Amino acid sequence: MRSRRNTVFVILVSVFCCGSPLVARESQTNIFSPRSGPAHSIYSLSQFTLAITGLIFVVVAGLLLYAIIRFRHRPTDDGSEPPQIFGSTQIELSWTIIPILIVTVLFLTTARVIFYIQDAPKPPSALEVTVIGHQFWWEIRYPALHVVTANELHVPISTSGAPAPTFLKLTSADVIHSFWVPELAGKTDLFPNRINELWMSPETAGVYKGQCAQFCGTEHAKMLLRVYADTPEAFAAWIREQQSPAIVSTSDRALEGRKQFESQACINCHAVGGTVANGRFGPDLTHLMSRDTLASGAAPNTAENLARWIDDPDTFKQGSLMPSMHLTKAQVEQITAYLVTLK
Amino acid sequence: MSESSISLPGGLPEAGTKEVSKGTSASVVEALQEWVITVDHKKLGVLYILYGLVMFAVAGIEVLLIRIQLAAPGNHVVSAQVFNRLFTMHGTTMIFFMVMPVVFGFGNYLMPLMLGVRDMAFPRLNAFSFWMTAFGGLLLYYSFLGGTGLQGAGTAPDVAWFAYAPLTERAFSRGHSTDFWALSLIVSGFGSIGTAVNFLATAFCLRCKGMKLFRMPLFVWLYIVTSALLILAVSPLTAAQVMLLIDRYLGGHFFDTQAGGSAVLWAHFFWIFGHPEVYVLVMPAFGMASEIIPVFSRKAIFGYAAMVAASVCIAFVSLSVWAHHMFTVGMSAPGNAFFALSTMIVGIPTGIKIFNWLATLWGGKIRFTVPMCFSLAFLFQFLIAGLTGIMLSVAPFNWQLHNSYFVVAHFHYVIVGAIVFMVFAGFYFWYPKVTGRLLNERLGKLHFWLFLIGFHLTFDFMHIPGILGMPRQIYTYEADRGWGPLNLVVSIGAFIQAAAVVIFVVNLLTSVFRGKLAGPDPWDAWTLEWTTSSPPPPYNFDVEPVVSSARPLWDLKHPEDPDSFNSGARS
């Protein structure tokens, strides 16, 4: 397996005359380091495709190179014209039939993988999650578990002994987006008025990165995506935590901040479970501090960044749809003090 | 005129040949006016090409800004908004206002000469088409001033060149930038259709005596195929643009998803245009390759009939592959399988073409002139572009590669590596016919090698960030993804290409005055355009040519071994 993979890399390198496997290994979004069921089958199909196309390249480019060198005009030439050949039915037939055979093989292999991935049966143990694309963030809902979060998708790992694949229902609230976490699965678009499906079965725990892969407006570049594959225990713990209502803060600063938060326009777009804040246009903040990043991955989620973000969202994300509310410094501090209690 | 042109036997003197008297006191204004009101296919051809070159420079500057921005992670050279406008304008300009005008220009100039006739079938329609195309481009660029309406700074479209709905609906695209985009493509679309009709009418109705369909140069055949595809492809695009404007201004809901419209519908419309469009652009390049490679291999094209058949076949199949741009929209498994298969099938006739060019080289005496160097590079690059195309047709592989930089690298391999390389070859090959002087060979070689190095630095390395998960159309990226060094190489390559293009333009401008005199037939070639003087007189031919094979000049030069005798099957 290892050697096959190396061969593919060598072919790739020779096809594109370059390539740095070193860079490839560091990347967390390499399509050639699959960590989940569909990504694995795509990977082996891509190896097969690369081998075929690599072989065609070597043969045809070799012939071209040979012809160019062998039949170059030489200074010693007598200046006469070479024999004129107008064609040959046998030769032309052979280079029609051989490509037809290659296409047949490639198509059958491709069709197998298409049907394997798209018609995969959904086991009863599968987790169902709905992902809704927004300009420029991801709304994530676990309908059966009554959990709502954003931008950071948590899923259980799925092993052959205990298969627990995750089936995503994808849709969009505004324009077209595309869900792409290369190590887990190929991309699938999120369309308004339409539900698409995507499944994944990560084998090892960890964070998998990805991002929106369909141009969706100004901040398409900062519509980042993280998938946390957790062990079954860690996943159950995370779900319990997310299901609990928002922590009621007791400190004066936080209470003051909550008052500010609920009297400003914040609650028109954001929800905090168990409070008057029930907006749906922006991400749910009930467990804001359980997330690692802010603004769909644009910045690490720290109190300091949170304050800067509330003060002026353009600091991290120029075209973010969250407006700067022109709050005073004191108001920003109070609201931040409240939000950091939402663990 | 006898020493400046090669006369074919059996021709009849052109009836009523007029002496063109050059007004000695013709002022600059008169000269300019002559170019504006001209209906001459040669002048219009030159206008098309000059217009395309100006747009090439504009869109080239746009892409250099894009490459500066992407050269390092987290760059802030341009804002997100400006970046989105830049790539939208770069793509739209390069496709509709650079490649299309330039290939129309070549077709306009050469097709009547190759067919031995005096002008295109509809000279006035020809002029109309050019000006529609030209004004379409101006309309697009006027958006910089008028994009937001009467007040405000103005802005260009920022919805990407495929402008997926509902991003283009009024809810998400305010102001007029998207309107300018749609209107400019409608206007230039009428120009394209006019040109296509003209090419078809000229090729089918206006050939000189003895020029049977299967004696036409392959160049003409390829333009027939392109024109047929254009008519079929541009109409749905124009329809979709009209529907979009109805949505935006008359309360329609074709693509307005908030009112129950369909976003997938736009994608279908766009790619029903968009995929054949790729072949509209690449067929003329095939045509040029099929003329230039035989001349410098000193051999007839191998498998003329198979080349025609393969081109027509590509055109037909290309009408049923559009949804391979949409493998990720959630089609059913049989749907995906169908479009994977139809796309792979395109590879068969395309392969036939490459093999035929290879067989043309085989056994020849290859001369490495500048046009031939570009054509040979075209063969390798088109091969690679075809193979990455096969990879992309494998639907599951496409689910990973789609909308990544791998795709960007793939289609630039087609458009730059194949089309632009062949257009450069065409420039070096036919420039002497247009101006009477050859382009400088040394500057040409420098241009070739510099452009080749720049091209490969840019587009070879561009595949890798795609494999490492970099989506297209992002204005910035994080350093930890490992895309930085690769993007820097890509950007360096872009600047090397720009330097090569500057050398090319210098060569174009200086050779008009200082180039070596070409004479009627500088390359010892075989098709009719080389029988008339360089530049050709307004009426093209002194006497109306009569041909008896696909290579009339070969017959004239080799009376002992004429094609008309050898290739009897085709006459």
Side-chain angles (χ1 to χ4, degrees):
Chain A
M1 193 64 201
R2 191 74 232 171
S3 74
R4 251 182 86 193
R5 202 166 144 182
N6 285 341
T7 338
V8 169
F9 259 114
V10 169
I11 290 169
L12 197 71
V13 164
S14 59
V15 166
F16 303 121
C17 325
C18 54
S20 159
L22 258 179
V23 182
R25 221 164 289 133
E26 283 166 14
S27 172
Q28 294 159 299
T29 48
N30 187 347
I31 65 168
F32 289 153
S33 63
R35 295 280 185 280
S36 149
H40 274 295
S41 41
I42 292 176
Y43 173 66
S44 21
L45 177 64
S46 66
Q47 275 193 320
F48 179 70
T49 313
L50 281 171
I52 288 186
T53 48
L55 194 70
I56 297 173
F57 175 77
V58 170
V59 171
V60 180
L63 284 171
L64 271 174
L65 208 58
Y66 173 79
I68 290 168
I69 295 168
R70 168 76 179 74
F71 300 109
R72 69 187 186 278
H73 178 255
R74 290 158 215 259
T76 53
D77 188 77
D78 59 1
S80 67
E81 301 282 22
Q84 302 294 306
I85 297 153
F86 294 91
S88 151
T89 314
Q90 288 97 330
I91 295 177
E92 287 172 51
L93 218 55
S94 74
W95 65 46
T96 310
I97 290 168
I98 295 171
I100 289 176
L101 295 178
I102 295 175
V103 163
T104 311
V105 172
L106 192 60
F107 169 67
L108 292 176
T109 327
T110 301
R112 228 187 87 225
V113 178
I114 293 175
F115 283 92
Y116 165 70
I117 293 178
Q118 284 198 272
D119 292 356
K122 192 188 291 184
S125 58
L127 172 71
E128 284 199 49
V129 185
T130 303
V131 177
I132 304 164
H134 293 257
Q135 278 183 324
F136 308 97
W137 61 283
W138 309 88
E139 179 181 347
I140 297 165
R141 309 180 84 91
Y142 298 72
L145 301 168
H146 306 290
V147 166
V148 181
T149 181
N151 303 326
E152 297 177 4
L153 172 66
H154 283 253
V155 299
I157 58 169
S158 174
T159 52
S160 51
T166 304
F167 278 71
L168 304 182
K169 278 197 185 344
L170 305 171
T171 188
S172 167
D174 38 48
V175 299
I176 309 171
H177 304 277
S178 191
F179 185 101
W180 189 28
V181 182
E183 291 179 318
L184 299 181
K187 62 182 76 64
T188 303
D189 297 348
L190 296 82
F191 272 83
N193 297 350
R194 188 184 166 95
I195 292 171
N196 281 336
E197 285 217 340
L198 173 72
W199 66 279
M200 54 176 76
S201 54
E203 304 129 8
T204 41
V207 184
Y208 299 95
K209 288 189 178 178
Q211 68 189 90
C212 177
Q214 176 61 56
F215 180 68
C216 57
T218 314
E219 273 299 350
H220 164 59
K222 288 194 178 165
M223 188 166 164
L224 307 177
L225 177 61
R226 285 162 166 251
V227 176
Y228 293 72
D230 302 330
T231 57
E233 302 76 44
F235 181 72
W238 181 82
I239 286 291
R240 267 197 305 281
E241 181 195 295
Q242 297 290 313
Q243 282 169 334
S244 61
I247 292 160
V248 180
S249 34
T250 46
S251 80
D252 286 351
R253 280 185 68 215
L255 282 171
E256 195 55 43
R258 177 172 170 182
K259 226 171 94 190
Q260 281 294 342
F261 181 82
E262 289 173 359
S263 60
Q264 297 287 343
C266 309
I267 57 170
N268 292 347
C269 297
H270 294 286
V272 177
T275 75
V276 294
N278 59 1
R280 280 205 52 189
F281 195 71
D284 187 292
L285 302 179
T286 312
H287 298 282
L288 172 66
M289 296 316 283
S290 71
R291 303 203 278 263
D292 288 337
T293 60
L294 265 182
S296 201
N301 189 6
T302 62
E304 193 195 334
N305 281 343
L306 198 52
R308 288 171 66 197
W309 171 249
I310 295 166
D311 185 39
D312 182 11
D314 280 2
T315 328
F316 301 121
K317 230 170 155 172
Q318 291 166 3
S320 160
L321 296 190
M322 172 158 148
S324 167
M325 302 305 297
H326 302 290
L327 302 171
T328 64
K329 207 162 174 236
Q331 286 172 316
V332 170
E333 273 170 16
Q334 284 168 340
I335 293 175
T336 310
Y338 166 57
L339 291 181
V340 293
T341 64
L342 299 174
K343 298 216 165 70
Chain B
M1 298 283 281
S2 57
E3 72 283 349
S4 65
S5 62
I6 302 169
S7 50
L8 287 169
L12 294 168
E14 172 96 359
T17 301
K18 277 175 260 154
E19 263 308 310
V20 268
S21 57
K22 274 202 180 137
T24 44
S25 61
S27 66
V28 180
V29 180
E30 275 174 340
L32 266 179
Q33 196 224 14
E34 195 186 321
W35 281 87
V36 172
I37 61 165
T38 186
V39 293
D40 175 40
H41 74 100
K42 296 183 289 300
K43 284 208 170 102
L44 285 167
V46 171
L47 282 176
Y48 262 122
I49 289 172
L50 291 178
Y51 180 76
L53 283 179
V54 170
M55 285 304 196
F56 188 39
V58 172
I61 291 166
E62 282 159 4
V63 83
L64 290 180
L65 290 171
I66 291 174
R67 285 321 315 175
I68 294 172
Q69 167 74 5
L70 290 177
N75 249 355
H76 285 291
V77 180
V78 294
S79 68
Q81 289 89 341
V82 171
F83 185 88
N84 295 346
R85 282 172 210 150
L86 285 175
F87 72 68
T88 304
M89 293 298 271
H90 168 75
T92 309
T93 310
M94 283 296 195
I95 298 282
F96 295 98
F97 301 109
M98 193 288 268
V99 179
M100 282 174 74
V102 169
V103 300
F104 288 170
F106 275 93
N108 251 305
Y109 199 99
L110 294 169
M111 193 189 269
L113 289 173
M114 286 182 166
L115 294 175
V117 296
R118 194 170 162 160
D119 205 321
M120 298 283 280
F122 308 116
R124 280 160 201 276
L125 176 65
N126 202 8
F128 173 76
S129 302
F130 167 73
W131 291 105
M132 287 296 265
T133 308
F135 283 120
L138 295 183
L139 203 52
L140 181 67
Y141 274 86
Y142 183 74
S143 63
F144 274 110
L145 300 174
T148 51
L150 290 176
Q151 77 285 8
T155 163
D158 57 354
V159 289
W161 90 279
F162 43 73
Y164 270 6
L167 191 60
T168 48
E169 290 289 340
R170 282 235 284 210
F172 305 104
S173 172
R174 294 171 200 91
H176 298 312
S177 59
T178 300
D179 305 324
F180 277 104
W181 180 83
L183 285 170
S184 81
L185 295 194
I186 291 174
V187 169
S188 70
F190 280 112
S192 305
I193 289 178
T195 306
V197 168
N198 220 340
F199 281 148
L200 289 174
T202 308
F204 284 120
C205 309
L206 278 195
R207 299 182 307 275
C208 70
K209 269 208 184 88
M211 181 72 78
K212 296 179 179 171
L213 280 179
F214 277 83
R215 285 181 188 161
M216 295 193 305
L218 277 176
F219 181 93
V220 179
W221 265 113
L222 270 297
Y223 269 80
I224 289 179
V225 175
T226 278
S227 307
L229 271 181
L230 250 177
I231 291 176
L232 293 173
V234 171
S235 314
L237 177 71
T238 305
Q241 307 282 16
V242 171
M243 288 157 82
L244 177 62
L245 289 175
I246 290 173
D247 270 15
R248 284 175 65 87
Y249 289 102
L250 300 175
H253 305 302
F254 294 109
F255 315 117
D256 180 3
T257 47
Q258 289 167 322
S262 166
V264 190
L265 180 66
W266 172 271
H268 279 297
F269 263 108
F270 189 84
W271 292 117
I272 282 173
F273 151 77
H275 200 81
E277 170 72 5
V278 177
Y279 292 96
V280 165
L281 303 178
V282 84
M283 289 288 176
F286 291 169
M288 295 182 204
S290 304
E291 296 306 316
I292 296 172
I293 291 172
V295 168
F296 295 112
S297 308
R298 310 305 308 155
K299 276 181 69 208
I301 189 81
F302 190 91
Y304 176 102
M307 288 298 249
V308 173
S311 311
V312 174
C313 182
I314 291 175
F316 273 109
V317 181
S318 82
L319 292 171
S320 66
V321 300
W322 78 90
H324 69 209
H325 296 265
M326 301 165 59
F327 280 140
T328 63
V329 306
M331 279 189 293
S332 66
N336 282 327
F338 173 83
F339 284 103
L341 178 63
S342 64
T343 306
M344 288 175 191
I345 287 175
V346 179
I348 298 168
T350 313
I352 293 174
K353 294 189 87 75
I354 290 188
F355 287 126
N356 277 340
W357 287 318
L358 170 63
T360 306
L361 294 172
W362 206 271
K365 293 180 177 175
I366 301 167
R367 277 153 225 247
F368 297 99
T369 57
V370 180
M372 189 60 171
C373 289
F374 275 106
S375 309
L376 293 174
F378 152 83
L379 287 180
F380 285 98
Q381 284 147 199
F382 183 62
L383 171 66
I384 294 174
L387 292 175
T388 50
I390 292 287
M391 294 178 202
L392 287 165
S393 75
V394 176
F397 200 6
N398 183 289
W399 294 333
Q400 288 285 21
L401 296 174
H402 178 69
N403 269 0
S404 77
Y405 258 84
F406 188 92
V407 170
V408 180
H410 160 74
F411 70 71
H412 279 90
Y413 240 91
V414 178
I415 291 175
V416 183
I419 301 169
V420 172
F421 266 73
M422 267 333 293
V423 163
F424 281 141
F427 266 104
Y428 284 91
F429 191 65
W430 282 294
Y431 182 90
K433 181 50 62 187
V434 179
T435 64
R437 288 169 189 272
L438 290 154
L439 280 166
N440 184 302
E441 186 83 3
R442 274 184 60 196
L443 279 181
K445 283 272 161 72
L446 186 64
H447 166 212
F448 170 71
W449 286 109
L450 212 53
F451 197 74
L452 189 76
I453 292 166
F455 170 82
H456 284 282
L457 273 181
T458 298
F459 297 113
D460 295 358
F461 283 87
M462 195 185 268
H463 289 89
I464 304 167
I467 289 168
L468 300 183
M470 180 171 175
R472 68 196 280 200
Q473 294 157 341
I474 55 172
Y475 74 91
T476 191
Y477 51 91
E478 292 172 332
D480 67 353
R481 298 294 180 89
W483 304 333
L486 293 161
N487 273 290
L488 183 62
V489 175
V490 170
S491 295
I492 292 170
F495 278 88
I496 296 177
Q497 288 179 73
V501 171
V502 171
I503 293 173
F504 168 66
V505 171
V506 168
N507 198 352
L508 278 186
L509 295 178
T510 57
S511 297
V512 180
F513 308 105
R514 282 190 277 158
K516 225 166 54 185
L517 282 173
D521 181 21
W523 308 114
D524 194 5
W526 305 310
T527 38
L528 276 183
E529 77 269 31
W530 304 106
T531 61
T532 184
S533 60
S534 310
Y539 44 85
N540 287 352
F541 295 95
D542 295 342
V543 289
E544 193 195 323
V546 174
V547 300
S548 52
S549 80
R551 297 192 299 168
L553 268 177
W554 172 275
D555 293 352
L556 192 70
K557 292 168 187 168
H558 301 274
E560 77 289 354
D561 178 30
D563 274 11
S564 42
F565 181 74
N566 272 323
S567 54
R570 287 209 308 272
S571 51

